[in-house]
Each structure stands twice: as structure tokens, then as C-alpha cells.
Amino acid sequence: MTTYNHHRTHPVEPSPQPFGRLPDGTEVHRWSLENGSTRMTVLSYGGVVQSLEVPDRDGRYANVSLGFARLDDYVASSPYFGALIGRYGNRIAGGRFELDGTVHHITAAEGTHGLHGGARGFDKRVWEVRGFTDGTDVGVVLTRTSPDGEMGFPGTLRVRVVYTLTADGDWRIDYEADTDRPTVVNLTSHVYWNLAGETAGSVHDHELTLPGSRITPVGPGLIPTGDLAPVAGTPFDFRRPKAVGADIDAADPQLLHGRGYDHNWVLDKGTTDRPGHAATLRDPGSGRVLRVATTEPGVQFYSGNVLDGLPTGTGGRAYRDRDGLCLETQRFPDSPNRPAFPSTVLRPGRTYRSSTVHSFTAE
């Protein structure tokens, strides 16, 4: 195994550069971070990771995150490329949930269902961003106050998210939020990974490991049925490394619902105080390896099934279906309507906390 740990005694504090303006005139900035062997750019629009570059086994860098070169394309066409997702990552059935006897209706973003926080979730908002250095770490702090009733969610939610690059080149995300009324929260990141490079095409050859013995199976609209289904003997068994494309087109009802993988794995480790192993992704061609650790009990593996027809990506190539995949660490989809699932309720006086670490090596 090869690692490229270019330790910096004094990391450079990130500073913003103009990236464009929204139709209403709001200015958007891009922040460039570099530490260890990892380079990344982050937008104030949606907290988007526009690019993330790491070396292969021969030290050659490539951008392994799908994205766009122009702000207009993110605004008009993005399938959540690289975005910070909230208030509620994943789906809420019928765009409604009941909390303490009150029914709340959120704006639909996928048919009649809530998806990723509604029609204008956190991915479509401009965040306050500041750069920082802390010892050998470098990063950005993103903050935003979501007003009571935004997209139908109750409570004023104050959110703070920290993206940190460590001296080892790890990308760590730390989420915090508090509220003045009971509400539901499920924050995540929606990076699309292609470890061969974002212009390389299909991720079918990537080898994936998911340490989860069960999934939350779905029905129409990709809404969980409420059951926990064993992965043993099914195309969903990634407990040992398996090529993403090995079973992706099998005649399995769950795969037909999602046109591929778009499911939540129940991690065997459960919810933890410190990040525990959630996924390992390896590209045999380049040798790049991504290991994901999280405090969360679930990970949504989405195999990029609906990417055809998007604008040209950052590398000048149009994306096709399954040119990237997502590993979204989270609570389970539709948890507000499923009392048996891990709770996503946040109450005044409590702080929502979640952490996920992405570690990169080459072998």
C-alpha cells in the first residue's frame, strides 16, 4: 500500500475566490484546500465539493468527484453533485410526518415525496464560509440558520458544518445543529465518487465493501417498507469486496425499483460515538482506495443510475448513468414516519452531532 502524506508544518489558510453570481445577484465563492495528499475545492453554494483530487499508485493526481465547471449548471441541472444535504437527507414518504401530534407537510422534491430537504434544501442555499488552520489541519466552517417553516420543517435550525483536511489527507465532516422547536434532522454529503477519475466512465469495476448484514427494502417511490431485510444470498451482499457491476442488473425487485442500487444499508456497528467503518471503495485500475467511517447507523449506496443528459462535467466530458456512485452516511430514510428506525428528532436544548471521515490511499 502506498500513501502520500505530504505533511505541512504550516498549512495555508483557505481564502475565497469569486465563482459567479446567482440569478438574484448573490455572489458565490470557491475555496481551495490542500493538505497531506488531498486537494479539494468547496463552493459557498450548497457547501458543494466541486472537486477532490488524490494520487493513484504512481502518484498521478485525478479529480475523483463528479461536478460542474460553471455555477449555472449547478443551479439548473445538478443531481446534488458534491452537495451538503439537509434538513433531511433521503426520502420522507408523501412529504409529511407527524411530530408530537402535529402533522407537518414539507415541499416535495420527487413526485409527492420529500427528498433531501425539499425543493430548495440546503444544497441550493448560499452558506457563510470561513477558512481556518488548526495545528496541522486546514479546512472551512460552513454556517447557516434555516428559519422556522423553511420547506415546511418546524423550528429555527442553526447549522454548523466543518470540512477538515488532515495532514494525512483525510477529509473529515463534522455536523452540528440546534433548534428552538422540536424538529427532524438528517444531514449528509452527496459526493459522487469515481476513483478512476471523474472523466473515466462507468464505476462498474469499482470494488465495494459495505459492513451491513441488512438493508431497509423499498417499495414504489423508493420509500422503505419498514422491514429490515438480510443481504445474504442477494445482490445486496457487499460484506466482502465485490464489483459494483457484478449483480447490478440482476432480476431482483429491489434493483428494479431503483434502476440499480439506491438503498440504505443498516451498518452492523450501529450508531457510535466515534466514526466506525462504513464502506471501502477500491478502483483496481488506479489503485485508489476510499475508506469511509461514520458515527451514523446507515449508509445510502446510490449507483448513479440517472446521470444521462447532464451538462459537461469539470473534465470536459458528459456524464452517463453509473459514472459515479454515492455513499451517503445517515439515519434511515423516512425515519420520521418509522418509529422503529433510529430517531431523527431534535429537541431544544439538545445538539445534533454527526461525523464522517473519508480516508484515501493507493495500493
Side-chain angles (χ1 to χ4, degrees), residues 33 40 52 132 137-140 161-166 169-175 273-275 293 295 354-360:
L33 292 70
M40 66 188 299
L52 193 148
F132 72 88
D137 292 342
V138 62
V140 289
V161 181
V162 183
Y163 292 171
T164 302
L165 285 187
T166 73
D170 292 352
W171 171 39
R172 181 182 176 109
I173 313 174
D174 293 291
Y175 307 87
D273 291 336
R274 295 184 178 182
T295 55
S354 175
S355 297
T356 296
V357 180
H358 306 80
S359 301
F360 304 94

Side-chain angles (χ1 to χ4, degrees), residues 7-270:
H7 295 279
R8 292 170 177 267
T9 305
H10 300 290
V12 177
E13 184 170 309
S15 58
Q17 299 293 328
F19 188 67
R21 291 183 181 273
L22 297 177
D24 66 2
T26 302
E27 191 167 9
V28 172
H29 292 90
R30 177 171 58 191
W31 301 71
S32 297
L33 292 70
E34 182 175 355
N35 208 5
S37 58
T38 304
R39 310 164 181 163
M40 66 188 299
T41 57
V42 178
L43 307 182
S44 58
Y45 177 79
V48 163
V49 175
Q50 184 203 21
S51 66
L52 193 148
E53 298 177 75
V54 291
D56 66 8
R57 63 166 66 92
D58 297 316
R60 295 172 298 199
Y61 275 81
N63 174 21
V64 298
S65 170
L66 274 58
F68 296 127
R70 304 187 321 131
L71 177 62
D72 290 351
D73 292 332
Y74 281 102
V75 174
S77 305
S78 182
Y80 306 100
F81 276 160
L84 174 55
I85 301 296
R87 286 188 190 189
Y88 196 94
N90 219 312
R91 294 167 176 86
I92 296 179
R96 67 177 296 283
F97 63 93
E98 183 176 333
L99 180 58
D100 296 341
T102 299
V103 175
H104 300 277
H105 296 272
I106 61 174
T107 61
E110 189 177 63
T112 61
H113 304 306
L115 175 66
H116 295 335
R120 285 196 67 211
F122 288 0
D123 62 296
K124 298 177 179 66
R125 308 287 180 169
V126 175
W127 293 68
E128 294 291 329
V129 186
R130 67 170 179 84
F132 72 88
T133 57
D134 182 8
T136 59
D137 292 342
V138 62
V140 289
V141 180
L142 303 101
T143 53
R144 181 170 187 271
T145 298
S146 175
D148 181 30
E150 185 174 76
M151 296 294 102
F153 288 94
T156 300
L157 191 75
R158 291 169 293 274
V159 184
R160 180 178 186 268
V161 181
V162 183
Y163 292 171
T164 302
L165 285 187
T166 73
D168 292 326
D170 292 352
W171 171 39
R172 181 182 176 109
I173 313 174
D174 293 291
Y175 307 87
E176 290 186 1
D178 59 55
T179 182
D180 61 359
R181 287 179 60 195
T183 191
V184 294
V185 185
N186 192 30
L187 306 182
T188 191
S189 172
H190 211 291
V191 171
Y192 286 72
W193 301 104
N194 187 324
L195 297 184
E198 58 89 27
T199 62
S202 171
V203 293
H204 278 191
D205 290 342
H206 281 43
E207 295 172 355
L208 178 63
T209 309
L210 291 168
S213 302
R214 297 170 296 172
I215 63 167
T216 50
V218 297
L222 295 173
I223 300 299
T225 64
D227 299 326
L228 302 181
V231 301
T234 78
F236 293 83
D237 193 348
F238 284 90
R239 290 175 294 176
R240 297 189 178 197
K242 183 174 71 173
V244 167
D247 299 321
I248 199 168
D249 293 318
D252 181 285
Q254 287 297 308
L255 291 173
L256 295 176
H257 281 311
R259 295 173 57 181
Y261 296 106
D262 193 357
H263 297 76
N264 170 68
W265 266 253
V266 179
L267 296 173
D268 293 340
K269 73 172 188 66

